[in-house]
Amino acid sequence: MMTKRDHGGDLATAIRRFGGQPGDWIDLSTGINRVPFPVPVISERAWRDLPGRPAFDALVAAARTAYGTDWPVLPLAGAQAAIQLLPALAPAGPVRILTPTYNEYAGVLAQAGRQVQKVDDARALHGAGVAVVVNPNNPDGRCHAPDALHAVAARVGLLVVDESFADPHPDLSLLPGACPPNVIVLRSFGKFYGLAGLRLGFALGARAHLDRMAALAGPWAVSGPALEIGAQALADAPWRAASIARLSGETARLDTLAVQGGWRLVGGTALFRLYDTPDAQAAQARLARAHIWSRVFPWSSRWLRLGLPGTPEEWTRLENALA
């Protein structure tokens, strides 16, 4: 039986504990952009027909342009879909994950029967059969330069680099460089573009790895509407640039509010911030009484993660809750 793992976004729990309806809440627990890409009108064909090769190829071309890469690209139903396929690609040897980080890597690989070692220093990844690095990291925003990751790749069997939060931080990405034969990069579409419900993401890497993943994912791994919306969004360079500028500017505003509320910045990205609080459960409850949901972690009594509000009304509510 699959073990349920802790994640953000569980508004049902928030409502059960603190009342209200889903529309009453501001969900800042996930790090998903609260100002999403404006969804275009979707063609009747995208709904009616099975997803076809031209739409698939258009999405791949748009992804390569947006990510500045010539690596092979495989669209999937979210970065999570790629994580589920990793056990089938993992070579023999220790599985080492740089932690603390997104808990699905350890969960999926352990459930597949692999012994997972959690390490807190990138040098401890050396010698692993499979090494996993989230860059920038979730939840603390720890970053690794491309050169440092190439050095890790040279000393492991397979390096998986999760760039789900890298869209606002393109200087961190491995994708503009050459494609090493033993590296897989994962990208999330839904987080930066604010359309998590679309379930779209990408695996990028050597063709042999992607062919294996494609065979396991089966035909039509991405819906027609996701192919169409994703291609249009990834091709919209002005929207991407404006969103990066807005998010980068608003992190300072959120940090100021948090510090004034008695919290200390631990780290973060342009899509979420992590704070050290005197009592994370109490801090979460304080926000929840204003129907603002945040993320706490079962392994820390002090850390609280908070996404960025989107609208002026959301900012005002957060300011009042922290005042």
PDB file of all heavy atoms in Angstrom, residues 164-199:
ATOM      1  N   SER A 164      12.341  22.333 -10.853  1.00  0.00           N
ATOM      2  CA  SER A 164      10.936  22.736 -10.847  1.00  0.00           C
ATOM      3  C   SER A 164      10.734  24.201 -10.495  1.00  0.00           C
ATOM      4  O   SER A 164       9.743  24.814 -10.910  1.00  0.00           O
ATOM      5  CB  SER A 164      10.145  21.861  -9.876  1.00  0.00           C
ATOM      6  OG  SER A 164       9.993  20.554 -10.386  1.00  0.00           O
ATOM      7  N   PHE A 165      11.652  24.781  -9.711  1.00  0.00           N
ATOM      8  CA  PHE A 165      11.523  26.184  -9.316  1.00  0.00           C
ATOM      9  C   PHE A 165      12.574  27.065  -9.990  1.00  0.00           C
ATOM     10  O   PHE A 165      12.871  28.157  -9.514  1.00  0.00           O
ATOM     11  CB  PHE A 165      11.621  26.308  -7.798  1.00  0.00           C
ATOM     12  CG  PHE A 165      10.420  25.756  -7.070  1.00  0.00           C
ATOM     13  CD1 PHE A 165      10.448  24.491  -6.516  1.00  0.00           C
ATOM     14  CD2 PHE A 165       9.253  26.497  -6.964  1.00  0.00           C
ATOM     15  CE1 PHE A 165       9.344  23.965  -5.859  1.00  0.00           C
ATOM     16  CE2 PHE A 165       8.143  25.991  -6.304  1.00  0.00           C
ATOM     17  CZ  PHE A 165       8.189  24.721  -5.751  1.00  0.00           C
ATOM     18  N   ALA A 166      13.142  26.596 -11.109  1.00  0.00           N
ATOM     19  CA  ALA A 166      14.255  27.313 -11.735  1.00  0.00           C
ATOM     20  C   ALA A 166      13.836  28.343 -12.767  1.00  0.00           C
ATOM     21  O   ALA A 166      14.682  29.119 -13.219  1.00  0.00           O
ATOM     22  CB  ALA A 166      15.221  26.321 -12.380  1.00  0.00           C
ATOM     23  N   ASP A 167      12.563  28.387 -13.149  1.00  0.00           N
ATOM     24  CA  ASP A 167      12.172  29.344 -14.194  1.00  0.00           C
ATOM     25  C   ASP A 167      12.563  30.775 -13.865  1.00  0.00           C
ATOM     26  O   ASP A 167      13.077  31.488 -14.738  1.00  0.00           O
ATOM     27  CB  ASP A 167      10.666  29.259 -14.454  1.00  0.00           C
ATOM     28  CG  ASP A 167      10.273  27.964 -15.122  1.00  0.00           C
ATOM     29  OD1 ASP A 167      10.238  26.934 -14.428  1.00  0.00           O
ATOM     30  OD2 ASP A 167      10.002  27.972 -16.334  1.00  0.00           O
ATOM     31  N   PRO A 168      12.363  31.262 -12.620  1.00  0.00           N
ATOM     32  CA  PRO A 168      12.796  32.628 -12.316  1.00  0.00           C
ATOM     33  C   PRO A 168      14.299  32.752 -12.081  1.00  0.00           C
ATOM     34  O   PRO A 168      14.783  33.857 -11.836  1.00  0.00           O
ATOM     35  CB  PRO A 168      12.027  32.963 -11.022  1.00  0.00           C
ATOM     36  CG  PRO A 168      11.012  31.897 -10.854  1.00  0.00           C
ATOM     37  CD  PRO A 168      11.583  30.688 -11.515  1.00  0.00           C
ATOM     38  N   HIS A 169      15.031  31.631 -12.145  1.00  0.00           N
ATOM     39  CA  HIS A 169      16.459  31.619 -11.853  1.00  0.00           C
ATOM     40  C   HIS A 169      17.216  30.888 -12.968  1.00  0.00           C
ATOM     41  O   HIS A 169      17.867  29.858 -12.725  1.00  0.00           O
ATOM     42  CB  HIS A 169      16.712  30.940 -10.499  1.00  0.00           C
ATOM     43  CG  HIS A 169      15.856  31.464  -9.382  1.00  0.00           C
ATOM     44  ND1 HIS A 169      16.141  32.625  -8.715  1.00  0.00           N
ATOM     45  CD2 HIS A 169      14.694  30.996  -8.857  1.00  0.00           C
ATOM     46  CE1 HIS A 169      15.199  32.849  -7.800  1.00  0.00           C
ATOM     47  NE2 HIS A 169      14.310  31.871  -7.872  1.00  0.00           N
ATOM     48  N   PRO A 170      17.134  31.373 -14.207  1.00  0.00           N
ATOM     49  CA  PRO A 170      17.691  30.620 -15.336  1.00  0.00           C
ATOM     50  C   PRO A 170      19.193  30.413 -15.270  1.00  0.00           C
ATOM     51  O   PRO A 170      19.722  29.487 -15.896  1.00  0.00           O
ATOM     52  CB  PRO A 170      17.301  31.474 -16.556  1.00  0.00           C
ATOM     53  CG  PRO A 170      17.034  32.840 -16.000  1.00  0.00           C
ATOM     54  CD  PRO A 170      16.490  32.621 -14.626  1.00  0.00           C
ATOM     55  N   ASP A 171      19.906  31.247 -14.500  1.00  0.00           N
ATOM     56  CA  ASP A 171      21.363  31.091 -14.391  1.00  0.00           C
ATOM     57  C   ASP A 171      21.747  29.788 -13.688  1.00  0.00           C
ATOM     58  O   ASP A 171      22.887  29.327 -13.811  1.00  0.00           O
ATOM     59  CB  ASP A 171      21.970  32.275 -13.642  1.00  0.00           C
ATOM     60  CG  ASP A 171      21.341  32.477 -12.272  1.00  0.00           C
ATOM     61  OD1 ASP A 171      20.108  32.541 -12.184  1.00  0.00           O
ATOM     62  OD2 ASP A 171      22.087  32.569 -11.285  1.00  0.00           O
ATOM     63  N   LEU A 172      20.812  29.168 -12.965  1.00  0.00           N
ATOM     64  CA  LEU A 172      21.095  27.923 -12.250  1.00  0.00           C
ATOM     65  C   LEU A 172      20.922  26.687 -13.126  1.00  0.00           C
ATOM     66  O   LEU A 172      21.377  25.607 -12.768  1.00  0.00           O
ATOM     67  CB  LEU A 172      20.173  27.791 -11.038  1.00  0.00           C
ATOM     68  CG  LEU A 172      20.328  28.836  -9.926  1.00  0.00           C
ATOM     69  CD1 LEU A 172      19.274  28.599  -8.859  1.00  0.00           C
ATOM     70  CD2 LEU A 172      21.726  28.773  -9.324  1.00  0.00           C
ATOM     71  N   SER A 173      20.280  26.827 -14.260  1.00  0.00           N
ATOM     72  CA  SER A 173      19.883  25.658 -15.042  1.00  0.00           C
ATOM     73  C   SER A 173      21.056  25.018 -15.773  1.00  0.00           C
ATOM     74  O   SER A 173      21.938  25.696 -16.307  1.00  0.00           O
ATOM     75  CB  SER A 173      18.811  26.061 -16.058  1.00  0.00           C
ATOM     76  OG  SER A 173      18.440  24.946 -16.847  1.00  0.00           O
ATOM     77  N   LEU A 174      21.014  23.690 -15.851  1.00  0.00           N
ATOM     78  CA  LEU A 174      21.979  22.941 -16.644  1.00  0.00           C
ATOM     79  C   LEU A 174      21.633  22.937 -18.126  1.00  0.00           C
ATOM     80  O   LEU A 174      22.469  22.582 -18.962  1.00  0.00           O
ATOM     81  CB  LEU A 174      22.035  21.483 -16.168  1.00  0.00           C
ATOM     82  CG  LEU A 174      22.631  21.191 -14.799  1.00  0.00           C
ATOM     83  CD1 LEU A 174      22.519  19.699 -14.503  1.00  0.00           C
ATOM     84  CD2 LEU A 174      24.093  21.618 -14.739  1.00  0.00           C
ATOM     85  N   LEU A 175      20.430  23.321 -18.478  1.00  0.00           N
ATOM     86  CA  LEU A 175      19.922  23.073 -19.821  1.00  0.00           C
ATOM     87  C   LEU A 175      20.603  23.859 -20.932  1.00  0.00           C
ATOM     88  O   LEU A 175      20.664  23.354 -22.070  1.00  0.00           O
ATOM     89  CB  LEU A 175      18.410  23.313 -19.851  1.00  0.00           C
ATOM     90  CG  LEU A 175      17.604  22.370 -18.943  1.00  0.00           C
ATOM     91  CD1 LEU A 175      16.133  22.724 -18.977  1.00  0.00           C
ATOM     92  CD2 LEU A 175      17.817  20.920 -19.350  1.00  0.00           C
ATOM     93  N   PRO A 176      21.100  25.062 -20.709  1.00  0.00           N
ATOM     94  CA  PRO A 176      21.776  25.738 -21.823  1.00  0.00           C
ATOM     95  C   PRO A 176      23.083  25.083 -22.264  1.00  0.00           C
ATOM     96  O   PRO A 176      23.574  25.354 -23.355  1.00  0.00           O
ATOM     97  CB  PRO A 176      22.024  27.151 -21.265  1.00  0.00           C
ATOM     98  CG  PRO A 176      20.992  27.340 -20.212  1.00  0.00           C
ATOM     99  CD  PRO A 176      20.863  25.978 -19.583  1.00  0.00           C
ATOM    100  N   GLY A 177      23.663  24.214 -21.443  1.00  0.00           N
ATOM    101  CA  GLY A 177      24.930  23.578 -21.789  1.00  0.00           C
ATOM    102  C   GLY A 177      24.738  22.262 -22.520  1.00  0.00           C
ATOM    103  O   GLY A 177      23.635  21.896 -22.937  1.00  0.00           O
ATOM    104  N   ALA A 178      25.825  21.525 -22.672  1.00  0.00           N
ATOM    105  CA  ALA A 178      25.777  20.218 -23.318  1.00  0.00           C
ATOM    106  C   ALA A 178      25.035  19.221 -22.436  1.00  0.00           C
ATOM    107  O   ALA A 178      24.973  19.366 -21.214  1.00  0.00           O
ATOM    108  CB  ALA A 178      27.200  19.724 -23.589  1.00  0.00           C
ATOM    109  N   CYS A 179      24.471  18.198 -23.066  1.00  0.00           N
ATOM    110  CA  CYS A 179      23.670  17.193 -22.359  1.00  0.00           C
ATOM    111  C   CYS A 179      24.553  16.012 -21.958  1.00  0.00           C
ATOM    112  O   CYS A 179      24.934  15.209 -22.820  1.00  0.00           O
ATOM    113  CB  CYS A 179      22.528  16.717 -23.257  1.00  0.00           C
ATOM    114  SG  CYS A 179      21.502  15.433 -22.515  1.00  0.00           S
ATOM    115  N   PRO A 180      24.900  15.880 -20.680  1.00  0.00           N
ATOM    116  CA  PRO A 180      25.698  14.712 -20.260  1.00  0.00           C
ATOM    117  C   PRO A 180      24.882  13.432 -20.398  1.00  0.00           C
ATOM    118  O   PRO A 180      23.654  13.443 -20.252  1.00  0.00           O
ATOM    119  CB  PRO A 180      26.016  15.010 -18.787  1.00  0.00           C
ATOM    120  CG  PRO A 180      25.715  16.468 -18.601  1.00  0.00           C
ATOM    121  CD  PRO A 180      24.622  16.780 -19.552  1.00  0.00           C
ATOM    122  N   PRO A 181      25.522  12.304 -20.644  1.00  0.00           N
ATOM    123  CA  PRO A 181      24.781  11.061 -20.851  1.00  0.00           C
ATOM    124  C   PRO A 181      24.131  10.513 -19.592  1.00  0.00           C
ATOM    125  O   PRO A 181      23.243   9.654 -19.687  1.00  0.00           O
ATOM    126  CB  PRO A 181      25.845  10.100 -21.380  1.00  0.00           C
ATOM    127  CG  PRO A 181      27.136  10.631 -20.852  1.00  0.00           C
ATOM    128  CD  PRO A 181      26.984  12.121 -20.839  1.00  0.00           C
ATOM    129  N   ASN A 182      24.563  10.975 -18.423  1.00  0.00           N
ATOM    130  CA  ASN A 182      24.047  10.409 -17.170  1.00  0.00           C
ATOM    131  C   ASN A 182      23.304  11.437 -16.321  1.00  0.00           C
ATOM    132  O   ASN A 182      23.262  11.323 -15.091  1.00  0.00           O
ATOM    133  CB  ASN A 182      25.188   9.799 -16.348  1.00  0.00           C
ATOM    134  CG  ASN A 182      26.145  10.855 -15.810  1.00  0.00           C
ATOM    135  OD1 ASN A 182      26.363  11.884 -16.454  1.00  0.00           O
ATOM    136  ND2 ASN A 182      26.715  10.606 -14.644  1.00  0.00           N
ATOM    137  N   VAL A 183      22.702  12.438 -16.956  1.00  0.00           N
ATOM    138  CA  VAL A 183      21.961  13.470 -16.228  1.00  0.00           C
ATOM    139  C   VAL A 183      20.537  13.562 -16.781  1.00  0.00           C
ATOM    140  O   VAL A 183      20.336  13.575 -17.999  1.00  0.00           O
ATOM    141  CB  VAL A 183      22.650  14.842 -16.336  1.00  0.00           C
ATOM    142  CG1 VAL A 183      21.776  15.934 -15.696  1.00  0.00           C
ATOM    143  CG2 VAL A 183      24.019  14.810 -15.660  1.00  0.00           C
ATOM    144  N   ILE A 184      19.576  13.607 -15.883  1.00  0.00           N
ATOM    145  CA  ILE A 184      18.186  13.887 -16.235  1.00  0.00           C
ATOM    146  C   ILE A 184      17.771  15.149 -15.483  1.00  0.00           C
ATOM    147  O   ILE A 184      17.948  15.234 -14.260  1.00  0.00           O
ATOM    148  CB  ILE A 184      17.253  12.726 -15.853  1.00  0.00           C
ATOM    149  CG1 ILE A 184      17.610  11.470 -16.656  1.00  0.00           C
ATOM    150  CG2 ILE A 184      15.795  13.099 -16.083  1.00  0.00           C
ATOM    151  CD1 ILE A 184      16.826  10.245 -16.228  1.00  0.00           C
ATOM    152  N   VAL A 185      17.240  16.114 -16.202  1.00  0.00           N
ATOM    153  CA  VAL A 185      16.726  17.343 -15.600  1.00  0.00           C
ATOM    154  C   VAL A 185      15.201  17.304 -15.680  1.00  0.00           C
ATOM    155  O   VAL A 185      14.627  16.967 -16.724  1.00  0.00           O
ATOM    156  CB  VAL A 185      17.266  18.589 -16.324  1.00  0.00           C
ATOM    157  CG1 VAL A 185      16.519  19.850 -15.866  1.00  0.00           C
ATOM    158  CG2 VAL A 185      18.754  18.744 -16.071  1.00  0.00           C
ATOM    159  N   LEU A 186      14.553  17.631 -14.582  1.00  0.00           N
ATOM    160  CA  LEU A 186      13.097  17.704 -14.537  1.00  0.00           C
ATOM    161  C   LEU A 186      12.665  19.158 -14.421  1.00  0.00           C
ATOM    162  O   LEU A 186      13.246  19.922 -13.648  1.00  0.00           O
ATOM    163  CB  LEU A 186      12.549  16.902 -13.355  1.00  0.00           C
ATOM    164  CG  LEU A 186      12.975  15.437 -13.255  1.00  0.00           C
ATOM    165  CD1 LEU A 186      12.258  14.758 -12.104  1.00  0.00           C
ATOM    166  CD2 LEU A 186      12.726  14.699 -14.552  1.00  0.00           C
ATOM    167  N   ARG A 187      11.660  19.519 -15.186  1.00  0.00           N
ATOM    168  CA  ARG A 187      11.087  20.862 -15.112  1.00  0.00           C
ATOM    169  C   ARG A 187       9.575  20.757 -14.895  1.00  0.00           C
ATOM    170  O   ARG A 187       8.904  19.931 -15.497  1.00  0.00           O
ATOM    171  CB  ARG A 187      11.348  21.648 -16.406  1.00  0.00           C
ATOM    172  CG  ARG A 187      12.803  21.933 -16.699  1.00  0.00           C
ATOM    173  CD  ARG A 187      13.444  22.882 -15.710  1.00  0.00           C
ATOM    174  NE  ARG A 187      12.983  24.228 -15.766  1.00  0.00           N
ATOM    175  CZ  ARG A 187      13.753  25.287 -16.142  1.00  0.00           C
ATOM    176  NH1 ARG A 187      15.022  25.090 -16.500  1.00  0.00           N
ATOM    177  NH2 ARG A 187      13.276  26.496 -16.131  1.00  0.00           N
ATOM    178  N   SER A 188       9.074  21.601 -14.013  1.00  0.00           N
ATOM    179  CA  SER A 188       7.636  21.725 -13.790  1.00  0.00           C
ATOM    180  C   SER A 188       7.109  22.886 -14.619  1.00  0.00           C
ATOM    181  O   SER A 188       7.737  23.954 -14.672  1.00  0.00           O
ATOM    182  CB  SER A 188       7.356  21.972 -12.314  1.00  0.00           C
ATOM    183  OG  SER A 188       6.026  22.410 -12.120  1.00  0.00           O
ATOM    184  N   PHE A 189       5.971  22.700 -15.252  1.00  0.00           N
ATOM    185  CA  PHE A 189       5.300  23.806 -15.934  1.00  0.00           C
ATOM    186  C   PHE A 189       4.360  24.545 -14.977  1.00  0.00           C
ATOM    187  O   PHE A 189       4.301  25.762 -14.946  1.00  0.00           O
ATOM    188  CB  PHE A 189       4.514  23.280 -17.132  1.00  0.00           C
ATOM    189  CG  PHE A 189       3.655  24.315 -17.805  1.00  0.00           C
ATOM    190  CD1 PHE A 189       4.185  25.166 -18.751  1.00  0.00           C
ATOM    191  CD2 PHE A 189       2.307  24.438 -17.476  1.00  0.00           C
ATOM    192  CE1 PHE A 189       3.398  26.125 -19.374  1.00  0.00           C
ATOM    193  CE2 PHE A 189       1.508  25.401 -18.077  1.00  0.00           C
ATOM    194  CZ  PHE A 189       2.057  26.241 -19.041  1.00  0.00           C
ATOM    195  N   GLY A 190       3.622  23.798 -14.169  1.00  0.00           N
ATOM    196  CA  GLY A 190       2.526  24.366 -13.398  1.00  0.00           C
ATOM    197  C   GLY A 190       2.925  25.358 -12.340  1.00  0.00           C
ATOM    198  O   GLY A 190       2.156  26.263 -12.008  1.00  0.00           O
ATOM    199  N   LYS A 191       4.133  25.246 -11.775  1.00  0.00           N
ATOM    200  CA  LYS A 191       4.505  26.127 -10.672  1.00  0.00           C
ATOM    201  C   LYS A 191       4.705  27.561 -11.147  1.00  0.00           C
ATOM    202  O   LYS A 191       4.054  28.493 -10.671  1.00  0.00           O
ATOM    203  CB  LYS A 191       5.761  25.595  -9.980  1.00  0.00           C
ATOM    204  CG  LYS A 191       5.537  24.280  -9.250  1.00  0.00           C
ATOM    205  CD  LYS A 191       6.792  23.770  -8.601  1.00  0.00           C
ATOM    206  CE  LYS A 191       6.518  22.506  -7.804  1.00  0.00           C
ATOM    207  NZ  LYS A 191       6.072  21.371  -8.638  1.00  0.00           N
ATOM    208  N   PHE A 192       5.626  27.771 -12.082  1.00  0.00           N
ATOM    209  CA  PHE A 192       5.911  29.134 -12.532  1.00  0.00           C
ATOM    210  C   PHE A 192       4.745  29.707 -13.325  1.00  0.00           C
ATOM    211  O   PHE A 192       4.407  30.888 -13.180  1.00  0.00           O
ATOM    212  CB  PHE A 192       7.173  29.151 -13.384  1.00  0.00           C
ATOM    213  CG  PHE A 192       7.476  30.496 -13.994  1.00  0.00           C
ATOM    214  CD1 PHE A 192       7.884  31.556 -13.194  1.00  0.00           C
ATOM    215  CD2 PHE A 192       7.358  30.701 -15.358  1.00  0.00           C
ATOM    216  CE1 PHE A 192       8.156  32.798 -13.747  1.00  0.00           C
ATOM    217  CE2 PHE A 192       7.636  31.938 -15.917  1.00  0.00           C
ATOM    218  CZ  PHE A 192       8.034  32.993 -15.116  1.00  0.00           C
ATOM    219  N   TYR A 193       4.106  28.883 -14.138  1.00  0.00           N
ATOM    220  CA  TYR A 193       2.998  29.383 -14.962  1.00  0.00           C
ATOM    221  C   TYR A 193       1.673  29.394 -14.209  1.00  0.00           C
ATOM    222  O   TYR A 193       0.653  29.825 -14.752  1.00  0.00           O
ATOM    223  CB  TYR A 193       2.914  28.577 -16.259  1.00  0.00           C
ATOM    224  CG  TYR A 193       4.037  28.918 -17.209  1.00  0.00           C
ATOM    225  CD1 TYR A 193       5.240  28.219 -17.179  1.00  0.00           C
ATOM    226  CD2 TYR A 193       3.930  29.983 -18.094  1.00  0.00           C
ATOM    227  CE1 TYR A 193       6.296  28.563 -18.019  1.00  0.00           C
ATOM    228  CE2 TYR A 193       4.975  30.339 -18.941  1.00  0.00           C
ATOM    229  CZ  TYR A 193       6.155  29.622 -18.891  1.00  0.00           C
ATOM    230  OH  TYR A 193       7.211  29.972 -19.713  1.00  0.00           O
ATOM    231  N   GLY A 194       1.681  28.935 -12.969  1.00  0.00           N
ATOM    232  CA  GLY A 194       0.505  29.061 -12.117  1.00  0.00           C
ATOM    233  C   GLY A 194      -0.668  28.192 -12.523  1.00  0.00           C
ATOM    234  O   GLY A 194      -1.805  28.492 -12.181  1.00  0.00           O
ATOM    235  N   LEU A 195      -0.404  27.097 -13.248  1.00  0.00           N
ATOM    236  CA  LEU A 195      -1.468  26.235 -13.765  1.00  0.00           C
ATOM    237  C   LEU A 195      -1.199  24.788 -13.345  1.00  0.00           C
ATOM    238  O   LEU A 195      -1.129  23.886 -14.178  1.00  0.00           O
ATOM    239  CB  LEU A 195      -1.547  26.352 -15.294  1.00  0.00           C
ATOM    240  CG  LEU A 195      -1.854  27.753 -15.839  1.00  0.00           C
ATOM    241  CD1 LEU A 195      -1.719  27.768 -17.359  1.00  0.00           C
ATOM    242  CD2 LEU A 195      -3.256  28.201 -15.418  1.00  0.00           C
ATOM    243  N   ALA A 196      -1.076  24.577 -12.047  1.00  0.00           N
ATOM    244  CA  ALA A 196      -0.715  23.249 -11.547  1.00  0.00           C
ATOM    245  C   ALA A 196      -1.752  22.202 -11.908  1.00  0.00           C
ATOM    246  O   ALA A 196      -1.418  21.027 -12.100  1.00  0.00           O
ATOM    247  CB  ALA A 196      -0.526  23.307 -10.035  1.00  0.00           C
ATOM    248  N   GLY A 197      -3.012  22.608 -12.009  1.00  0.00           N
ATOM    249  CA  GLY A 197      -4.059  21.660 -12.343  1.00  0.00           C
ATOM    250  C   GLY A 197      -3.960  21.113 -13.756  1.00  0.00           C
ATOM    251  O   GLY A 197      -4.594  20.099 -14.076  1.00  0.00           O
ATOM    252  N   LEU A 198      -3.182  21.756 -14.608  1.00  0.00           N
ATOM    253  CA  LEU A 198      -3.001  21.275 -15.979  1.00  0.00           C
ATOM    254  C   LEU A 198      -2.212  19.980 -16.020  1.00  0.00           C
ATOM    255  O   LEU A 198      -2.353  19.188 -16.951  1.00  0.00           O
ATOM    256  CB  LEU A 198      -2.286  22.351 -16.805  1.00  0.00           C
ATOM    257  CG  LEU A 198      -2.368  22.251 -18.319  1.00  0.00           C
ATOM    258  CD1 LEU A 198      -3.800  22.445 -18.782  1.00  0.00           C
ATOM    259  CD2 LEU A 198      -1.465  23.293 -18.975  1.00  0.00           C
ATOM    260  N   ARG A 199      -1.366  19.743 -14.996  1.00  0.00           N
ATOM    261  CA  ARG A 199      -0.503  18.567 -14.904  1.00  0.00           C
ATOM    262  C   ARG A 199       0.388  18.444 -16.133  1.00  0.00           C
ATOM    263  O   ARG A 199       0.165  17.612 -17.017  1.00  0.00           O
ATOM    264  CB  ARG A 199      -1.312  17.276 -14.692  1.00  0.00           C
ATOM    265  CG  ARG A 199      -2.249  17.268 -13.494  1.00  0.00           C
ATOM    266  CD  ARG A 199      -1.598  17.774 -12.230  1.00  0.00           C
ATOM    267  NE  ARG A 199      -0.369  17.091 -11.883  1.00  0.00           N
ATOM    268  CZ  ARG A 199       0.704  17.683 -11.380  1.00  0.00           C
ATOM    269  NH1 ARG A 199       0.733  19.000 -11.193  1.00  0.00           N
ATOM    270  NH2 ARG A 199       1.767  16.997 -11.078  1.00  0.00           N
TER     271      ARG A 199
END
